[in-house]
Amino acid sequence: MADEVVGEIPQVIRVGSRKSELAMIQTNTVIERLQKLYPTQTFDVVTMETIGDTIQDKPLSNIGVTSLFTKELERALADDKVDMIVHSLKDLPSVLPDGMAIATVCKRDDPHDALVLSPKHAGRTLETLQPGSVVGTSSVRRVAQLKRKFPLVEFKDVRGNLNTRLRKLDESGNYACLILAAAGLHRMGWEHRISQVLLPDVCMYAPCQGAMAVECKVANRRLVQFLSRLHDPVTLLQCVCERALLGTLQGGCSAPVAVDSQVADGKIKLTGAAFSLDGSECVQEMQSVDLPPDLLQKMEPSNSPDSFQLYSFIIAPNLSHNALHAAEQLGSTVATAMLKNGADKILEAAKQEIDARRNKTD
């Protein structure tokens, strides 16, 4: 019975989501896209708070818990309290719980970071900020890269959802600017606050930044195929590649690891980098690989085990497995080259320093 169709599409699909405004915008966006494909399907959103939402007085890297924005949602999925979860894909660790996979990777929004200035610094850029200006971010990846380019500015942690962080910027007087993900600002309708988009020569982005994803149980093959119709093939390849790099480096979503990937002219190109926390050390590698010509070829739905193979814990049963395999191998190859050049030592030193900071604050 290897070809037996497993699982079913619930009459009402329960969708797990964080409670924040941005999370709800993302969840509703995915539901709207699914309802265009399946007009008669009903969805019910189930919201909950995660560890990352409830602990607001520490930098993310200092909390000392993995899966900061996903664990409670995945527990609900495991307990059959929800059928699928909508995530910002950059929040998902490189290894998912047993039996779970990413069944949808939506078309990527702008993956880059962005500069958002306080009103009194309007018109400036990172290059023209006064020495000693305070840049707000809790990302060790951003701090490490920007310290290399802008050694005269200072960095200070800022936590909270986007609404909270922008309020702190505008009202507290403690920050000259914030560094935020451009995609989140666009989704909230706040693109007018972006003063500068940080391109990869200034600050490479986090693996899978800008992509929304849906997680579900692998065993429900009907639901996997239902969700797979939302896959964007180019974004899918980029995220398989970037997650493979992160997984091979064994870096979490808060590690000082950055990427830039491009799919063009029949190739996928990946640049990966690992940084010391102060930005003084960097190991960077860039490689590319030819993609097979069947990249965008959709295959007939199949329920054979081979069609449900995972690539960086992403499943796409109706898209080119040759292309997915090539992307995953590229991510692993780039990460392996980085490790040979000392990325393991840099990331281990960063981990020890983060652990020491956490123990000190505790």
Side-chain angles (χ1 to χ4, degrees):
M1 300 292 287
D3 293 333
E4 180 183 1
V5 177
V6 180
E8 60 183 13
I9 308 298
Q11 184 175 358
V12 177
I13 295 178
R14 299 161 298 170
V15 185
S17 174
R18 293 164 59 194
K19 290 183 177 181
S20 73
E21 183 179 357
L22 177 57
M24 289 302 300
I25 288 172
Q26 293 173 165
T27 296
N28 288 326
T29 297
V30 170
I31 290 173
E32 287 169 7
R33 293 177 184 178
L34 285 170
Q35 289 199 301
K36 287 182 179 179
L37 296 173
Y38 309 102
T40 63
Q41 182 62 53
T42 302
F43 298 87
D44 181 35
V45 178
V46 180
T47 60
M48 59 196 74
E49 288 189 328
T50 65
I51 296 171
D53 295 313
T54 56
I55 301 178
Q56 296 290 331
D57 58 347
K58 295 181 181 181
L60 294 176
S61 58
N62 285 8
I63 295 176
V65 177
T66 59
S67 307
L68 288 172
F69 295 108
T70 63
K71 184 171 290 185
E72 288 76 13
L73 291 161
E74 288 176 331
R75 187 177 295 124
L77 181 60
D79 293 341
D80 291 320
K81 294 178 180 177
V82 298
D83 303 299
M84 58 178 260
I85 311 167
V86 177
H87 298 285
S88 289
L89 187 46
K90 73 171 184 176
D91 291 338
L92 275 174
S94 55
V95 176
L96 299 186
D98 288 344
M100 298 182 189
I102 299 158
T104 290
V105 178
C106 297
K107 183 175 176 61
R108 195 175 206 167
D109 295 314
D110 188 343
H112 300 102
D113 291 320
L115 175 73
V116 178
L117 292 163
S118 73
K120 66 181 180 181
H121 290 86
R124 292 190 178 272
T125 64
L126 279 172
E127 291 81 1
T128 60
L129 284 175
Q130 294 291 332
S133 296
V134 176
V135 178
T137 176
S138 293
S139 164
V140 294
R141 169 189 58 83
R142 291 167 177 155
V143 172
Q145 292 183 83
L146 295 177
K147 277 187 174 181
R148 296 170 65 84
K149 297 281 186 179
F150 309 103
L152 299 182
V153 300
E154 298 179 4
F155 296 88
K156 183 176 180 179
D157 292 316
V158 58
R159 286 291 319 282
N161 58 39
L162 271 181
N163 311 61
T164 300
R165 280 179 278 175
L166 285 174
R167 186 171 63 251
K168 289 179 179 179
L169 172 68
D170 293 339
E171 298 177 4
S172 72
N174 294 329
Y175 307 95
C177 62
L178 302 179
I179 307 297
L180 301 168
L185 291 163
H186 281 284
R187 290 169 191 161
M188 294 284 283
W190 294 340
E191 56 271 16
H192 63 282
R193 293 298 307 262
I194 296 176
S195 299
Q196 181 182 5
V197 174
L198 307 186
L199 297 179
D201 61 334
V202 174
C203 187
M204 289 193 292
Y205 43 86
C208 300
Q209 184 163 303
M212 296 183 295
V214 177
E215 184 180 10
C216 71
K217 289 184 175 180
V218 179
N220 191 338
R221 294 184 179 180
R222 287 189 187 275
L223 184 59
V224 169
Q225 289 182 335
F226 174 94
L227 296 170
S228 289
R229 289 186 63 188
L230 277 192
H231 273 310
D232 176 72
V234 170
T235 304
L236 176 67
L237 291 181
Q238 290 177 306
C239 291
V240 165
C241 188
E242 293 169 18
R243 283 177 57 80
L245 177 138
L246 192 64
T248 304
L249 292 176
Q250 297 185 356
C253 57
S254 61
V257 173
V259 298
D260 175 39
S261 67
Q262 305 293 329
V263 176
D265 302 323
K267 295 178 180 288
I268 180 168
K269 180 175 72 172
L270 174 67
T271 304
F275 301 89
S276 60
L277 295 188
D278 64 0
S280 63
E281 297 181 84
C282 170
V283 170
Q284 183 168 317
E285 179 76 17
M286 186 278 287
Q287 294 188 30
S288 65
V289 67
D290 291 329
L291 290 168
D294 63 354
L295 163 62
L296 300 179
Q297 178 182 338
K298 292 191 175 182
M299 300 181 291
E300 289 300 315
S302 169
N303 288 285
S304 68
D306 289 345
S307 70
F308 284 78
Q309 183 173 341
L310 300 181
Y311 300 91
S312 303
F313 284 85
I314 300 174
I315 191 168
N318 303 336
L319 291 171
S320 167
H321 293 283
N322 292 328
L324 292 167
H325 178 72
E328 186 177 50
Q329 286 296 110
L330 176 61
S332 297
T333 299
V334 170
T336 299
M338 291 169 61
L339 292 170
K340 287 181 179 178
N341 289 328
D344 53 344
K345 297 180 177 62
I346 288 177
L347 292 175
E348 178 58 29
K351 180 180 181 299
Q352 291 181 5
E353 187 173 341
I354 289 170
D355 289 345
R357 291 178 184 177
R358 181 169 61 250
N359 293 334
K360 185 177 180 180
T361 58
D362 290 344

